[in-house]
Amino acid sequence: MLNILLKKLIKTSAGRIRFVMAVMGLSVALLLIFSAVQIEADYYDLLRSKNNQDSIANFLVVNKAVTNKTVGATTLSDAEITDLKKQQFTDAVGLLTSCHFKVSAESLSERIPFYSDIFFESVPDEFIDVKTDAWKWDANSDYIPMIVPNMFLDMYNFGFATSQDLPQLTQELVKNLPVQINIKTPLGRVNYYGKVVGFSDRISSVLVPQPFMEWANAKFGTIQNAKSSRIVIRTKDPGNPALTAYLKKNGLTTDADKTRFSKYRRVVDFVVNLSWITGAVMLLFALLIFTLFIQLTIASCKDEIMLLVTLGAAPKQLQQFLMKQFFPSNIIISVIVLVLIALLQFLLQQFLYRQGMYVSPLISLFTIGTAAIILLVLWVVNKWSIKNYVYETT
Amino acid sequence: MQIELQKIIPVPLKDKFAQRGSDVWNKELRFLEREWIKLKAPSGTGKTTLVHIIYKLRSDYEGNVLWDNNNLRSIASNELAKMRQQYISIVFQDLRLFPNLTAKENIELNRVLQKPIYESRAIEVMAARLNISHILQQRAALCSYGEQQRIAIIRALVQPFEWLIMDEPFSHLDEENIKRASGLIAEECDKRNAGFVITDLEDDTHFHYTKQLNL
């Protein structure tokens, strides 16, 4: 009953146009801010989610760029490696150990004859994406497992074999091909028996097990204390612009394809920043208009409010009443915008799914959290201006 | 609740009142519970000023007004509202109705401003007694002054109070209506064991006053 009478006395129609403007401003502002948060959440979703974990994306082989200045001096110093380890984008660093002896490989098969000088590198097992039981080395046996890049086979099949009229090879065939490994030592050649046990996209090198490499370098090595010139790092986000910037600053290079996300990331960052800054500015203006609207409403009912207080209405009662008049519109706007964002998110999920990318079909908790925080801010501003203007009037 | 006036004198009227003898201005005065007090004074001697000071509508005065030992000057706005809802009711000389609300709505507002003590029906009963049933649904602005005066009286009577302050409440009523109104007021004050302060220009016998003061 009291509210019905108060509604007759305190009319909120005085600033109808201002109110509509404030509502529109607030809607757009919230839309921009929530989208910014949601896009950011989606990006991290794409990056972190197990479903998207692309084996090549998370490991980068890094080395110094070979330029006229660095020719012959591409080894990485301990200081450089320690510094790289300290960067926040680095999860782990593995050194690629090169071999300090000369190696050649030749085919034992008469059907597919070949001979080539080759090289070995090794890296701790945790950085290798090929998981097989054959990846084992024993000092007592003369068997050496190898992992070669997919690219090697592709180059052979589509470049070399076609131009030389040689048969193309499947991965399975190569795995079954026995290879004789010759290691040159000061005392002459030592023969081993090798086999390709897997193909990898991660490290473009011929990999052998780390224990074999250490053993062989100690036994046959002709160069002592050689330093690594290539390392592999594990990172959560190869698209992190900080990583690309760091590499560039230190004259390091990596597979450009793997950091291609960096460009997308910068675009996403730009859009997100633009969106939320615009949103924040608009929110500020919307708040201002809301405050003015409240002020106007109270000012236009000044006489009524004063008489109400004279008759015994408590300022608190009036504030509660006014709060009920103004604040629900804010809640309604927030909910509508959230629903809209949820709808857009669902459509985005459908779209990305068709592109083979997976994001959640549901709105992010961060977006909902942001909505809650903004509502709290709106509540405080509403409450504050009502209190201020009611006290000013009475 | 007691009302205590400690040597109050309005600042703008200080010089004017200093030369004249008064029972109220610049005196120590105590209105005890359930006292029915008549303040008589000619025009321009500060009746309305006094009423406004007691009701805390103005504070440009010297001295102190205490409501149950609470100095009016230091009472906070929400506490003041509570006092006006529960302990002090008022009929203004200028009535102060909301012109755009109906007579009924004006009264209803004061009934529901706090936890109501009367049903809405009580308004119709009182209106019937004061002969204004027919204008209850009419906008207050369209009512005659005499009708507005009776609306204001009923509005003051539908809320709880221990003190009723009335500033020339019968100025536009005829003898018959004054009789009806004073009868209703006396009844409502008796019901609540409440006291009242009434101001008027002349002596009268509308109530059995316990105290008559000259301003």
Side-chain angles (χ1 to χ4, degrees), chain A residues 58-332:
Chain A
N58 298 329
F59 291 86
L60 295 174
V61 177
V62 173
N63 53 263
K64 281 193 176 167
V66 180
T67 64
N68 288 339
K69 272 186 196 163
T70 57
V71 164
T74 57
T75 54
L76 292 160
S77 69
D78 289 343
E80 281 169 324
I81 293 168
T82 321
D83 190 48
L84 189 56
K85 273 183 189 163
K86 274 192 299 203
Q87 302 303 312
Q88 48 90 14
F89 49 76
T90 316
D91 282 354
V93 172
L95 302 180
L96 256 77
T97 315
S98 53
C99 62
H100 304 148
F101 45 83
K102 288 183 175 168
V103 194
S104 64
E106 63 184 277
S107 171
L108 294 176
S109 153
E110 283 178 16
R111 220 156 47 85
I112 310 165
F114 73 85
Y115 174 89
S116 175
D117 281 337
I118 59 166
F119 65 96
F120 288 148
E121 282 186 292
S122 73
V123 74
D125 283 355
E126 55 176 298
F127 292 94
I128 295 175
D129 53 345
V130 176
K131 304 286 176 217
T132 162
D133 290 339
W135 186 249
K136 267 196 305 238
W137 174 78
D138 181 350
N140 297 320
S141 87
D142 55 0
Y143 163 72
I144 308 168
M146 294 179 290
I147 293 174
V148 299
N150 263 319
M151 206 175 50
F152 273 25
L153 191 59
D154 289 345
M155 277 168 74
Y156 170 80
N157 276 338
F158 305 113
F160 194 69
T162 45
S163 69
Q164 306 280 320
D165 200 20
L166 289 167
Q168 291 190 322
L169 302 175
T170 66
Q171 284 197 354
E172 287 315 303
L173 196 67
V174 173
K175 280 186 191 170
N176 289 322
L177 208 65
V179 182
Q180 180 177 310
I181 309 285
N182 310 309
I183 297 179
K184 236 185 205 172
T185 74
L187 305 170
R189 262 168 52 150
V190 184
N191 293 340
Y192 285 90
Y193 153 67
K195 217 172 194 185
V196 174
V197 300
F199 295 86
S200 167
D201 283 321
R202 190 173 288 168
I203 298 165
S204 48
S205 185
V206 180
L207 294 175
V208 293
Q210 180 86 2
F212 165 75
M213 186 62 103
E214 281 162 11
W215 174 83
N217 271 349
K219 191 165 177 187
F220 311 119
T222 50
I223 313 159
Q224 293 305 313
N225 289 328
K227 301 242 181 203
S228 295
S229 56
R230 298 218 291 178
I231 54 174
V232 54
I233 59 174
R234 197 175 75 218
T235 175
K236 279 199 191 69
D237 179 9
N240 189 339
L243 188 151
T244 348
Y246 179 85
L247 294 183
K248 198 169 172 192
K249 191 180 118 212
N250 291 285
L252 301 169
T253 64
T254 183
D255 188 346
D257 192 45
K258 292 176 183 174
T259 53
R260 69 185 184 279
F261 280 122
S262 178
K263 282 178 198 148
Y264 302 150
R265 175 64 197 263
R266 275 204 295 274
V267 172
V268 169
D269 276 355
F270 179 73
V271 170
V272 164
N273 283 339
L274 192 72
S275 180
W276 89 256
I277 289 172
T278 317
V281 171
M282 288 198 65
L283 178 68
L284 217 63
F285 278 101
L287 282 177
L288 199 68
I289 302 176
F290 256 113
T291 312
L292 288 175
F293 171 66
I294 289 171
Q295 188 183 12
L296 185 83
T297 304
I298 293 174
S300 69
C301 306
K302 193 171 187 258
D303 294 342
E304 283 81 2
I305 289 176
M306 276 175 73
L307 183 48
L308 278 166
V309 170
T310 305
L311 290 177
K316 258 187 202 160
Q317 268 175 314
L318 296 176
Q319 285 163 30
Q320 276 168 11
F321 167 78
L322 288 168
M323 203 63 187
K324 264 188 215 156
Q325 301 304 302
F326 297 125
F327 192 58
S329 60
N330 293 337
I331 299 178
I332 293 169

Side-chain angles (χ1 to χ4, degrees), chain B residues 77-140:
Chain B
S77 58
N78 284 312
E79 180 64 18
L80 178 66
K82 192 186 157 202
M83 300 295 280
R84 287 175 178 170
Q85 289 175 6
Q86 300 293 337
Y87 300 109
I88 274 204
S89 191
I90 192 160
V91 179
F92 290 107
Q93 190 187 35
D94 53 355
L95 308 180
R96 302 196 181 189
L97 302 174
F98 290 104
N100 291 323
L101 295 186
T102 65
K104 176 90 184 279
E105 284 167 343
N106 265 289
I107 301 166
E108 188 72 18
L109 180 69
N110 204 37
R111 184 181 76 89
V112 295
L113 213 47
Q114 59 283 311
K115 197 165 172 285
I117 51 162
Y118 283 131
E119 296 291 315
S120 187
R121 244 195 64 72
I123 297 172
E124 275 132 44
V125 176
M126 289 187 198
R129 281 186 65 175
L130 301 194
N131 284 331
I132 54 164
S133 296
H134 59 291
I135 51 111
L136 275 183
Q137 303 306 328
Q138 198 170 309
R139 283 206 298 131

